[in-house]
């Protein structure tokens, strides 16, 4: 796809201490979906949260969000699988399995991290790791199970890749027929206290680009803990898309903006390199979702 897919990553597990604009409640997410769509996003990635900002891992809450968003806008919905449901096989996708029972609540796309990572964070001031026993486990067996289930549900998989090994594993899942073509890869770059992924640099991006499939596919980049806009021109000039939002990073250097403000800036950058923004329908057509 020559056009650019802009994904709004609106909340993740972010709190409001660094940016007060993080949406948590159902209504806040519904309103956010409309705003980021108007700003240029074709996909919204979100986590259901409580009014106090805690994870809200209940299928009925996700169902309510999806149905209410679809009443207001055509943005494609990409809910989390949820690290907090990280267990064995079926429990990894238990919320998605419930949502897939009804067309009105079935997600358009789901993210699948194609490997396991240490989720510890490094505190520069103290000179030590925090949460040093936190591991995000995604065994190949579990990935195969989840991918097969998404085939059955006819839900597109976006492969979230923290390093080149994730991209290579994603390629094999495509080769095995477990993930539909064309492949959809997200380069999950990391900065600041998050040191596990490739850095948000030109070389960090290019390392993962170097192992993409030879056949047509699509790739985007996001940055956990840092400013994605620093590498956005390089990403856009080399055919990638942008996945950006205050869920990944607070953007205090930009005045703690709202999600739609970041999406507007991303859209401006797309036009600056003479590319066009993909609509939700164009995204669905490219990935054979319609």
């Amino acid at each position: 796809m020559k056009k650019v897919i802009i994904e709004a990553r609106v909340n993740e597990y972010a709190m409001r201490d660094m940016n007060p604009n993080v949406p948590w409640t159902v209504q806040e997410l519904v309103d956010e979906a409309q705003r980021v769509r108007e700003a240029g996003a074709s996909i919204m990635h979100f986590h259901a949260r409580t009014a106090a900002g805690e994870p809200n891992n209940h299928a009925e809450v996700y169902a309510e969000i999806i149905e209410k968003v679809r009443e207001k806008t055509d943005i494609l919905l990409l809910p989390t699988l949820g690290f907090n449901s990280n267990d064995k096989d079926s429990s990894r996708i238990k919320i998605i399995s419930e949502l897939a029972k009804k067309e009105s609540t079935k997600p358009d796309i789901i993210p699948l991290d194609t490997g396991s990572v240490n989720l510890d964070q490094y505190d520069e001031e103290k000179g030590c790791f925090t949460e040093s026993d936190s591991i995000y486990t995604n065994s190949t067996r579990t990935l195969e199970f989840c991918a097969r289930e998404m085939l059955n549900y006819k839900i597109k998989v976006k492969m979230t890749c923290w390093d080149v090994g994730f991209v290579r594993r994603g390629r094999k899942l495509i080769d095995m027929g477990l993930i539909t073509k064309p492949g959809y890869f997200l380069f999950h770059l990391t900065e600041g206290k998050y040191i596990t992924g490739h850095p948000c640099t030109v070389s960090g991006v290019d390392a993962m680009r170097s192992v993409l499939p030879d056949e047509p596919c699509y790739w985007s980049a996001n940055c956990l803990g840092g400013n994605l806009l620093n590498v956005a021109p390089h990403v856009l000039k080399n055919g990638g898309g942008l996945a950006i939002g205050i869920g990944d990073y607070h953007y205090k250097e930009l005045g703690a903006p709202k999600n739609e403000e970041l999406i507007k800036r991303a859209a401006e950058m797309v036009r600056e390199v003479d590319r066009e923004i993909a609509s939700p329908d164009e995204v669905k057509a490219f990935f054979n979702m319609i």
Side-chain angles (χ1 to χ4, degrees):
M1 175 183 279
K2 294 182 179 179
K3 292 190 176 183
V4 177
I5 298 174
I6 299 179
E7 173 192 331
R9 297 174 61 82
V10 298
N11 63 357
E12 296 296 305
Y13 296 114
M15 301 306 286
R16 292 175 174 167
D17 52 339
M18 299 296 286
N19 188 323
N21 299 305
V22 181
W24 289 343
T25 68
V26 171
Q27 190 57 53
E28 287 169 352
L29 285 165
V30 173
D31 293 341
E32 201 81 349
Q34 296 174 79
R35 288 192 289 262
V36 297
R37 174 70 186 100
E38 290 172 4
S42 56
I43 299 172
M44 183 176 83
H45 174 57
F46 68 96
H47 292 228
R49 309 278 291 276
T50 69
E54 296 300 319
N56 198 349
N57 293 319
H58 296 91
E60 60 270 21
V61 178
Y62 279 90
E64 183 182 5
I65 294 167
I66 291 172
E67 288 185 323
K68 287 187 173 181
V69 167
R70 286 176 174 162
E71 290 174 0
K72 301 292 185 179
T73 178
D74 64 345
I75 197 166
L76 302 179
L77 295 174
L78 195 167
T80 185
L81 264 65
F83 170 69
N84 287 282
S85 62
N86 182 30
D87 202 339
K88 295 182 180 179
D89 296 355
S90 60
S91 63
R92 285 290 288 120
I93 55 169
K94 60 185 178 183
I95 291 175
I96 305 302
S97 297
E98 286 297 314
L99 297 174
K101 291 178 180 179
K102 292 173 57 181
E103 281 298 319
S104 63
T105 61
K106 186 170 77 170
D108 297 293
I109 309 169
I110 65 98
L112 193 61
D113 294 67
T114 49
S116 301
V117 295
N118 289 5
L119 287 180
D120 49 15
Q121 301 165 30
Y122 188 75
D123 188 319
E124 291 285 353
E125 291 185 0
K126 295 180 179 178
C128 65
F129 287 99
T130 62
E131 301 181 27
S132 55
D133 62 346
S134 182
I135 300 175
Y136 186 21
T137 305
N138 293 290
S139 70
T140 300
R141 183 194 69 180
T142 295
L143 295 175
E144 291 176 349
F145 171 83
C146 293
R148 286 193 185 95
E149 291 299 290
M150 293 308 112
L151 283 176
N152 293 334
Y153 297 144
K154 295 181 171 59
I155 297 174
K156 180 63 181 177
V157 171
K158 180 188 73 174
M159 293 164 280
T160 302
C161 303
W162 295 66
D163 62 32
V164 294
F166 284 56
V167 180
R168 296 173 72 187
R169 186 174 291 103
R171 289 180 58 172
K172 297 308 178 186
L173 292 170
I174 294 172
D175 291 345
M176 294 167 68
L178 296 178
I179 291 178
T180 58
K181 297 179 181 181
Y184 185 10
F185 296 85
L186 175 69
F187 298 168
H188 189 63
L189 310 172
T190 67
E191 285 290 340
K193 61 185 178 182
Y194 304 99
I195 65 167
T196 297
H198 280 237
C200 188
T201 60
V202 167
S203 59
V205 171
D206 288 349
M208 289 202 270
R209 284 179 57 217
S210 71
V211 293
L212 284 170
D214 295 328
E215 61 194 24
C217 64
Y218 193 84
W219 63 277
S220 289
N222 77 298
C223 181
L224 175 63
N227 191 330
L228 182 68
L229 299 175
N230 292 334
V231 296
H234 180 74
V235 169
L236 293 171
K237 289 175 184 177
N238 286 280
L242 300 176
I244 190 169
I246 61 177
D248 282 334
Y249 180 60
H250 48 70
Y251 290 88
K252 292 287 282 189
E253 66 269 37
L254 301 181
K258 297 178 180 179
N259 278 303
E260 63 265 29
E261 293 172 322
L262 285 177
I263 299 301
K264 286 178 182 177
R265 179 62 188 126
E268 290 170 0
M269 297 179 82
V270 170
R271 291 186 283 269
E272 287 167 1
V273 297
D274 295 322
R275 292 183 67 189
E276 296 179 23
I277 300 168
S279 70
D281 282 345
E282 288 172 325
V283 174
K284 289 167 72 174
F286 178 76
F287 288 124
N288 301 313
M289 296 162 59
I290 53 177

